[in-house]
Amino acid sequence: MFKKIILTLVILLILFTHQSFAIYDPTTRPNNIFGIHILDTQELDKAARLINSTGGDWGYVTIPIQYGDRDIEKWQNFMDDARRLHVIPILRIATEAYYANTNVWSKPTDEDIIDFANFLNSLTWPTQNRYVLIFNEPNRFDEWGGTPPSPEEYADRVVFAVNVFKSQSPDFFMIAGGLDNASPNDHVKYLDNYAFLKRIAAYNPDFFKKIDGFASHSYPNPNFAQPPSVSGFESTSTYKHEMDIVDQYSGTKKPVFITETGWNADVVPATTIASYLTISMIDIWGEDKRVVAVTPFILQSNGGAYDKFTFYKGDTLTPYAATYQSLSKVKGDPQLTVIAPKQEILGNETPGIEINFVPAEQKNPLRSTVLKAFFKDLFAIGK
């Protein structure tokens, strides 16, 4: 009976300690800000070679995960590969094409958010901070179900998402989605990113206290073609102007994730882009201690509208990608997730316990069952 009680106590410790952590500020640890935006989980090897080069380690990737793409084996393999390759994932949750107009993305619902929280909590992440980006460019109609952008609706979805994800695990690091920094302010199809943030502040100023970080799409507009010396509202310094609003209401300086940026190679020579990228990484983003990650758009493209941004042409690095790879980087030191190995307890008399994945929806019932069994056995000792 005594051995059974000890075994149950160990199981209780395992079940409860994995939820006892919480997010940490990534700017307080050695951090490699170099990253890249990818579209497919199979691109991770290429991404790692690009961002963990020349002294770098534990760079970042931003990757979207669509509602209909919640395949547990696929995404756990991705997380395992990220751990092996020393890559920190930033997962951007996304809905799917709207059935009534497949040219736009469906509006997220509370049910979408709950399902994402359950699914992403089912995965074993490589780092303690589980970076989740809450949707994308909601100041555009085509990212909001084809309807006029609604800062108020988006604020409600974000607050709900933070509450739901944090209830699953305090390790979720919730980041407000990046805004289109070139959107006109017609109030029908588009809202200027600053007008969008100011309307959120007027509606729910506590929004900025709820989020753990802020994402910025600091593109060098217009036409993704301006030099980094241009530091206006639509530039590689967009995030600084956005953060003036965020900081005003958050009461603290939030970490910044530049999850999209890049130049138009159709109009800017590749060698010039290489120079612009170097200046931006070293003298702008790299000099700002609150910038956690920079993930330019995009690692590779199969043609189409994204081809002007791609870092790879087939299997060959573009000149600006080769420069990006050659830049000196920092050896990051994130807090890692501890994966418990199989272990034996009480010598050879007790079989080893394997710590396996427990789906989110089963966690509370499992804890309840163990607790009931423990106390039942405990109070039966003297009988």
Side-chain angles (χ1 to χ4, degrees):
M1 178 61 70
F2 179 71
K3 290 181 179 179
K4 189 172 183 180
I5 292 173
I6 296 299
L7 178 60
T8 307
L9 282 170
V10 172
I11 295 173
L12 281 171
L13 182 63
I14 293 168
L15 288 171
F16 284 92
T17 20
H18 86 284
Q19 289 272 7
S20 64
F21 301 108
I23 61 169
Y24 62 90
D25 182 350
T27 65
T28 62
R29 301 178 66 91
N31 181 54
N32 175 16
I33 73 168
F34 281 75
I36 192 70
H37 197 300
I38 65 176
L39 294 179
D40 192 283
T41 58
Q42 299 302 312
E43 297 171 353
L44 205 56
D45 278 287
K46 272 187 178 179
R49 292 196 296 272
L50 182 72
I51 62 180
N52 286 339
S53 56
T54 53
D57 200 17
W58 287 105
Y60 292 80
V61 295
T62 297
I63 182 171
I65 174 172
Q66 295 183 34
Y67 183 80
D69 188 28
R70 292 173 297 137
D71 181 314
I72 186 71
E73 183 176 3
K74 170 185 173 179
W75 286 99
Q76 188 55 63
N77 286 339
F78 170 79
M79 293 295 182
D80 294 343
D81 287 342
R83 177 184 285 268
R84 173 177 59 83
L85 295 167
H86 288 200
V87 172
I88 302 172
I90 304 170
L91 263 62
R92 173 168 66 79
I93 56 176
T95 56
E96 54 194 354
Y98 182 41
Y99 74 93
N101 179 1
T102 55
N103 292 319
V104 304
W105 291 91
S106 299
K107 281 187 190 180
T109 66
D110 288 352
E111 289 75 17
D112 295 336
I113 291 167
I114 292 169
D115 288 345
F116 268 124
N118 280 327
F119 178 75
L120 295 182
N121 193 46
S122 298
L123 303 175
T124 301
W125 293 58
T127 56
Q128 181 179 317
N129 280 358
R130 305 173 178 185
Y131 297 104
V132 175
L133 196 54
I134 312 173
F135 305 111
N136 184 62
E137 296 191 343
N139 60 326
R140 299 175 55 98
F141 79 103
D142 49 0
E143 297 276 359
W144 204 249
T147 63
S150 172
E152 296 78 14
E153 285 183 330
Y154 180 68
D156 287 343
R157 296 285 75 73
V158 168
V159 170
F160 182 77
V162 171
N163 290 337
V164 169
F165 274 83
K166 298 282 189 180
S167 72
Q168 290 280 12
S169 170
D171 292 341
F172 281 114
F173 193 108
M174 305 302 290
I175 308 168
L179 303 171
D180 182 355
N181 76 340
S183 282
N185 207 30
D186 64 12
H187 295 271
V188 178
K189 289 188 173 182
Y190 305 96
L191 273 178
D192 172 85
N193 49 326
Y194 305 103
F196 192 89
L197 291 173
K198 288 174 182 177
R199 273 182 55 179
I200 288 179
Y203 173 70
N204 181 7
D206 285 343
F207 167 94
F208 301 101
K209 295 178 182 177
K210 294 285 290 186
I211 58 176
D212 299 311
F214 186 82
S216 178
H217 291 178
S218 292
Y219 280 110
N221 281 306
N223 200 22
F224 314 102
Q226 304 310 305
S229 58
V230 175
S231 58
F233 292 113
E234 300 176 12
S235 71
T236 53
S237 295
T238 288
Y239 78 96
K240 295 181 179 179
H241 304 290
E242 293 171 329
M243 295 311 294
D244 285 342
I245 299 173
V246 175
D247 291 347
Q248 181 181 350
Y249 294 96
S250 67
T252 185
K253 290 186 178 296
K254 298 287 184 180
V256 180
F257 299 76
I258 300 175
T259 51
E260 286 190 32
T261 189
W263 283 265
N264 181 354
D266 289 346
V267 298
V268 181
T271 53
T272 303
I273 294 176
S275 173
Y276 288 173
L277 194 52
T278 300
I279 293 169
S280 299
M281 289 302 301
I282 295 174
D283 297 332
I284 301 176
W285 304 320
E287 281 294 303
D288 195 329
K289 300 306 180 186
R290 70 194 301 184
V291 174
V292 175
V294 180
T295 61
F297 192 83
I298 186 173
L299 180 73
Q300 61 185 32
S301 166
N302 295 320
Y306 298 157
D307 202 45
K308 61 190 176 187
F309 297 113
T310 187
F311 272 51
Y312 268 92
K313 294 284 189 179
D315 289 325
T316 304
L317 288 169
T318 62
Y320 50 88
T323 295
Y324 190 70
Q325 185 180 55
S326 71
L327 293 176
S328 180
K329 302 174 182 67
V330 170
K331 185 178 178 64
D333 182 30
Q335 183 69 46
L336 302 182
T337 300
V338 177
I339 299 179
K342 290 184 179 181
Q343 47 190 295
E344 290 192 352
I345 301 173
L346 302 177
N348 296 325
E349 299 178 11
T350 306
I353 299 175
E354 185 172 1
I355 309 306
N356 292 319
F357 147 69
V358 180
E361 63 271 15
Q362 295 179 14
K363 285 181 178 175
N364 288 338
L366 177 59
R367 293 180 178 189
S368 176
T369 300
V370 173
L371 280 171
K372 288 177 182 177
F374 170 68
F375 285 112
K376 182 178 178 181
D377 285 344
L378 180 63
F379 289 113
I381 291 175
K383 294 182 181 181

